[in-house]
Amino acid sequence: VTGIVSFSKKSLILNTLLICLSGLGLSSAFWLPALLESKYVVGLQVFDPTQHFPVLYKLIYSSWGYAFSGTNEPDQMSFQIGIANLIALAGSFFVFIRTKNRAILFFILLFLITIFLITPFSISLWKNIPVMGYIQFPWRLLSLAILLVSFLAGSLVQESLFKKKGKVRTIIAVFLILVSIGFSIRYAKAPFYHKRADQHYLTRSNFTDGTNSPGNAFNTKWLSGIPQKRKDKVEILSGSAEIKNSEIKSTRYSFTIDSKDSSKILINTAYFPGWTTKINDKNVPIENHNGRMALNIPEGANNVRMFLDNTPIQKLSYVYFLISVLILTIYPGDNVSHLRGVFRLHLGNHRELD
């Protein structure tokens, strides 16, 4: 029996590790460039997370407004966990006492740790663990807390608690659904509306010229502030040249340029390592000109093509994604059932030892 349990533990660990790595791979196209290419942008650390802890009572109940966190305005956004979720949490404590199910205990502890990180009591962690700055606002962890409670709500109707009591399980399930709808339906209607004309947005530079991100976080680090919008996408910096037949797309530029001598042109697009340029089908380097792109143009008629290609890190993230999809596609389905069986066996042996 000891050998079987030991093998089961090893199988549980390996299968769980595979599932976690595959899950990370499915989202790698987002988080891998976001972490490893953050050095190219202003960055997400433009806010102090310690200034955005919600007031504790607002985790229980808070009205829905439009004001941002940390403003102390009366119509702040809602930070509540949700009455229905708290009812499910309380019920899961009862289920754990009755069943001693370690899986339920795991989700309860994870939920409590998550709520702890949302409160001011965790301020030392936010100050001393730099990677937490990527979260920006502690209240963002509410999305994780609500997900954890959904697992705990399922424990209230688990089969082991209501053997041969199918009607009771159905009643509890319907009750949880109705409570969830009842306490949240009023949030389906906006409390008020901002009546703004188009001119309100067209006259604000963060909408027309910037990235419209908090603190202009998505601007490349080489640009100073919000750059003033230029009339032309391509300008002549030096020399005598004429630009013809230009075709400008969001990630692809092409044009011809007749240069009477060696010239230099400015592309009014933010410099980024992913851009590639070909002049007369030959790769040429791109200069960083105060955060914009500049090209040296030889004398004569030249065909210029520019396009935004994937960086090596982005290509790596796509490979990781495809490997994860492949693993999940060819991974035998019975291994998932085996993992569930191993997990139950593992918990069962612990109960026997208790």
Side-chain angles (χ1 to χ4, degrees):
V1 175
T2 303
I4 294 175
V5 173
S6 177
F7 173 78
S8 299
K9 287 182 179 179
K10 185 181 295 185
S11 179
L12 175 63
I13 293 172
L14 291 176
N15 281 281
T16 303
L17 181 62
L18 180 61
I19 290 172
C20 292
L21 291 176
S22 299
L24 288 172
L26 293 178
S27 58
S28 60
F30 171 78
W31 64 263
L32 197 57
L35 290 178
L36 300 183
E37 292 185 347
S38 60
K39 60 184 178 181
Y40 299 141
V41 296
V42 173
L44 297 175
Q45 291 85 352
V46 293
F47 292 102
D48 181 4
T50 62
Q51 299 299 314
H52 293 272
F53 290 116
V55 181
L56 294 182
Y57 79 85
K58 290 188 176 182
L59 292 175
I60 306 299
Y61 177 80
S62 58
S63 60
W64 176 22
Y66 293 126
F68 200 52
S69 62
T71 60
N72 294 321
E73 295 184 19
D75 62 338
Q76 276 189 342
M77 55 192 293
S78 175
F79 303 107
Q80 64 177 320
I81 299 170
I83 302 299
N85 291 326
L86 293 175
I87 291 174
L89 176 66
S92 67
F93 275 104
F94 168 76
V95 173
F96 172 70
I97 293 173
R98 288 282 304 273
T99 64
K100 306 300 182 187
N101 190 314
R102 291 173 185 262
I104 296 176
L105 178 61
F106 169 78
F107 282 107
I108 290 175
L109 292 177
L110 201 56
F111 173 85
L112 295 177
I113 291 172
T114 302
I115 297 302
F116 170 75
L117 293 174
I118 297 173
T119 65
F121 302 114
S122 63
I123 188 169
S124 61
L125 296 177
W126 289 95
K127 285 183 175 181
N128 296 301
I129 303 179
V131 71
M132 293 183 69
Y134 286 101
I135 301 175
Q136 292 187 310
F137 313 111
W139 45 260
R140 277 185 168 166
L141 294 174
L142 281 169
S143 58
L144 175 59
I146 293 171
L147 175 64
L148 294 172
V149 170
S150 67
F151 285 101
L152 293 174
S155 70
L156 300 182
V157 291
Q158 64 169 307
E159 185 176 358
S160 61
L161 189 65
F162 298 103
K163 291 181 178 179
K164 299 180 181 180
K165 295 181 180 179
K167 290 184 179 180
V168 177
R169 293 172 61 192
T170 302
I171 292 172
I172 293 178
V174 172
F175 170 77
L176 290 173
I177 293 172
L178 293 177
V179 167
S180 299
I181 296 174
F183 281 108
S184 61
I185 193 169
R186 69 189 185 92
Y187 292 103
K189 182 180 179 181
F192 55 91
Y193 296 91
H194 290 293
K195 296 182 179 180
R196 292 171 176 170
D198 292 345
Q199 198 65 19
H200 171 82
Y201 301 98
L202 295 175
T203 55
R204 299 178 68 182
S205 62
N206 63 313
F207 285 103
T208 59
D209 302 330
T211 60
N212 196 28
S213 56
N216 238 20
F218 300 141
N219 248 7
T220 58
K221 69 174 185 178
W222 301 282
L223 283 173
S224 178
I226 300 177
Q228 188 175 12
K229 183 173 287 187
R230 303 293 184 93
K231 179 181 179 181
D232 299 316
K233 177 62 72 173
V234 184
E235 299 178 8
I236 308 296
L237 285 179
S238 63
S240 178
E242 182 182 3
I243 301 169
K244 302 177 181 178
N245 304 322
S246 61
E247 182 182 359
I248 307 299
K249 302 293 184 181
S250 59
T251 60
R252 186 177 69 256
Y253 310 151
S254 65
F255 50 89
T256 58
I257 181 167
D258 291 331
S259 182
K260 296 180 179 179
D261 52 16
S262 295
S263 306
K264 192 170 189 175
I265 64 173
L266 176 68
I267 312 297
N268 285 313
T269 298
Y271 172 82
F272 192 78
W275 280 97
T276 300
T277 300
K278 290 180 179 291
I279 298 180
N280 299 325
D281 293 326
K282 294 182 179 179
N283 288 327
V284 296
I286 300 175
E287 291 185 16
N288 182 355
H289 185 82
N290 298 324
R292 293 182 174 89
M293 297 185 288
L295 299 173
N296 291 311
I297 305 297
E299 182 181 353
N302 300 279
N303 293 315
V304 181
R305 292 192 301 116
M306 302 183 66
F307 55 93
L308 182 60
D309 199 3
N310 294 313
T311 64
I313 292 175
Q314 291 170 351
K315 292 177 182 177
L316 176 63
S317 70
Y318 299 151
V319 172
Y320 187 12
F321 168 79
L322 292 175
I323 291 175
S324 299
V325 171
L326 184 62
I327 290 175
L328 293 176
T329 302
I330 65 176
Y331 193 64
D334 56 350
N335 278 352
V336 177
S337 300
H338 175 66
L339 174 60
R340 186 162 55 243
V342 167
F343 188 61
R344 288 174 176 170
L345 175 62
H346 182 60
L347 292 178
N349 279 283
H350 273 292
R351 289 174 188 160
E352 291 178 5
L353 290 174
D354 293 340

